Amino acid sequence: MSYFTTSDGAEIYYTDQGSGQPIVLSHGWPLSSDAWQVEIKRFTDAGYRVIAHDRRGHGRSSKVIDGHDMTTFAKNLSELIEHLDLHNIVVIGHSTGGGEVVRYAAQFGKGRVAKVVTAGAVPPIMLKSESNPEGTPIEALDDIRANVLKDRSQFWNELSVPFYGANRPGQDVSEGLKQDFWRQGMLVGLAAAYDCVKAFSETDQTEDLKAIDVPMFIAHGDADQIVPIAAAAQKSIKLVKDATLKVYPGASHGIWGAYQDELDQDILDFIKK
């Protein structure tokens, strides 16, 4: 097990496997680097060096009380990448991790990042407003915060259902997959779980997307019940200079099953271009 200490004293757990061009993976909320286990194997088998970390407050990283905002997440990622002296990097982020890698690439990663990939990512901004009517209402986000405080264990159980689309007809989501979501959720510190809601929903990353000057692949399921595609991928594609958008029919927010198989191959194909 490897740990790195950030400039503000947070201990960040990470795994570093394989050799070759580096791929850096950033997980979604409330998960950990364990969410990327399949990708770690597939990408290392394909000849890449793969690094995945647990965001501050999540997984095996220290349960710090503060710094649960998109800029601090990206700065921590930058410090880890500098610690490992990585160059020509492909950064990949899911959900909140998509916001993290977009901010990293735009504000911290110039000269190090070769390509950016996001899946079900939160940029440009998730919160519903007059200028973003497709977004998520603040009342729904407040409900998330209330449930995290009230009974987070039960909430993770319930959230796993729409996360993986298990409430849709014909979706064979295993109990094991939902239980693993619960397991990873229970490892996140309460402060991080609560504060990240504001970070992933209210951070406006419009300018970050405009600043990305490397090729970007944007993936999103059209059955995503967590991050509305109309407020996210369909707007992001209009802001990035050199981007490709692929919409996966019937795919959920969570990456699993046939969606995972197709997405992983698409990522490998995109890297090789």
Side-chain angles (χ1 to χ4, degrees):
M1 297 177 70
S2 299
Y3 285 87
F4 164 76
T5 303
T6 67
S7 58
D8 67 349
E11 285 194 328
I12 303 297
Y13 168 85
Y14 69 95
T15 179
D16 182 355
Q17 300 184 32
S19 60
Q21 182 181 9
I23 296 174
V24 176
L25 301 166
S26 181
H27 63 81
W29 173 92
L31 305 175
S32 71
S33 58
D34 285 354
W36 292 116
Q37 286 296 312
V38 171
E39 286 69 29
I40 290 170
K41 174 166 175 51
R42 285 178 172 170
F43 296 164
T44 55
D45 286 351
Y48 296 94
R49 178 182 178 185
V50 183
I51 298 94
H53 69 295
D54 292 355
R55 186 173 301 114
R56 64 189 293 128
H58 294 67
R60 288 140 292 201
S61 293
S62 56
K63 303 303 185 284
V64 291
I65 197 70
D66 57 3
H68 306 298
D69 60 87
M70 205 63 77
T71 298
T72 304
F73 298 158
K75 183 179 179 182
N76 289 169
L77 180 60
S78 177
E79 291 178 343
L80 173 60
I81 286 170
E82 290 172 7
H83 171 71
L84 297 173
D85 194 26
L86 304 178
H87 297 271
N88 193 31
I89 312 161
V90 179
V91 289
I92 301 175
H94 172 237
S95 193
T96 300
E100 180 179 301
V101 300
V102 163
R103 177 141 296 182
Y104 168 72
Q107 299 188 19
F108 298 93
K110 298 294 184 181
R112 289 184 183 266
V113 175
K115 292 184 177 181
V116 178
V117 178
T118 61
V122 295
I125 186 167
M126 190 171 162
L127 180 66
K128 182 178 182 179
S129 64
E130 288 186 8
S131 60
N132 188 38
E134 303 88 354
T136 303
I138 188 66
E139 292 80 8
L141 298 162
D142 287 341
D143 282 346
I144 292 174
R145 281 183 275 256
N147 281 304
V148 165
L149 285 177
K150 180 182 178 182
D151 186 351
R152 65 188 185 281
S153 180
Q154 180 60 30
F155 181 60
W156 302 140
N157 272 328
E158 295 172 357
L159 185 60
S160 69
V161 174
F163 192 92
Y164 293 112
N167 52 356
R168 297 180 63 242
Q171 299 301 304
D172 187 21
V173 180
S174 71
E175 284 302 311
L177 185 60
K178 290 184 285 186
Q179 288 171 15
D180 194 48
F181 180 92
W182 174 88
R183 177 189 68 84
Q184 292 183 62
M186 289 304 293
L187 291 175
V188 66
L190 183 57
Y194 188 94
D195 292 349
C196 276
V197 179
K198 182 178 180 68
F200 70 61
S201 64
E202 297 184 42
T203 304
D204 189 342
Q205 297 193 256
T206 300
E207 295 306 315
D208 290 337
L209 290 164
K210 290 179 180 179
I212 291 177
D213 57 3
V214 297
M216 182 171 177
F217 180 71
I218 302 169
H220 214 113
D222 69 1
D224 190 325
Q225 299 174 59
I226 306 299
V227 177
I229 188 173
Q234 290 176 351
K235 291 189 175 181
S236 292
I237 189 63
K238 299 175 182 178
L239 298 169
V240 182
K241 298 179 182 71
D242 180 6
T244 301
L245 169 63
K246 181 169 180 178
V247 177
Y248 293 78
S252 65
H253 185 65
I255 301 171
W256 69 283
Y259 170 41
Q260 184 171 38
D261 295 341
E262 186 175 359
L263 174 62
D264 289 352
Q265 187 58 56
D266 287 340
I267 291 172
L268 289 172
D269 291 344
F270 172 70
I271 294 173
K272 292 175 184 176
K273 287 181 181 177

